[in-house]
Amino acid sequence: VFHHSEMNTEDYQCPVLKGCTVCVTGLSTVERKEVQRLCEQNGGNYTGQLKMNECTHLIVSEPT
């Protein structure tokens, strides 16, 4: 029997962005690359093109 403190729960956690498709608009190239890196690191998909039926989250530089 495992005690909670002995288990590495990180091995069983679902990635934060699993199932998410992220798109950005109005961000610099550097910012886009960082968003892409974070998406891939956290189980999400990054797309450079905004496709309304695929994109689940849109990151904008300003809410205009």
Side-chain angles (χ1 to χ4, degrees), residues 1-8 12:
V1 174
F2 282 103
H3 292 287
H4 184 70
S5 60
E6 293 175 11
M7 284 181 64
N8 183 1
Y12 300 96

Side-chain angles (χ1 to χ4, degrees), residues 28-64:
S28 70
T29 304
V30 171
E31 290 169 324
R32 285 173 184 264
K33 285 186 172 150
E34 179 67 0
V35 170
Q36 182 174 9
R37 184 187 69 79
L38 288 168
C39 284
E40 291 169 357
Q41 182 180 317
N42 290 284
N45 296 315
Y46 172 85
T47 178
Q49 295 179 314
L50 177 56
K51 295 182 182 170
M52 294 304 288
N53 56 345
E54 291 180 22
C55 178
T56 60
H57 295 75
L58 178 63
I59 298 173
V60 300
S61 58
E62 293 182 34
T64 54

Side-chain angles (χ1 to χ4, degrees), residues 12-33:
Y12 300 96
Q13 287 178 344
C14 183
V16 178
L17 296 176
K18 183 174 174 66
C20 297
T21 299
V22 178
C23 191
V24 301
T25 185
L27 272 63
S28 70
T29 304
V30 171
E31 290 169 324
R32 285 173 184 264
K33 285 186 172 150

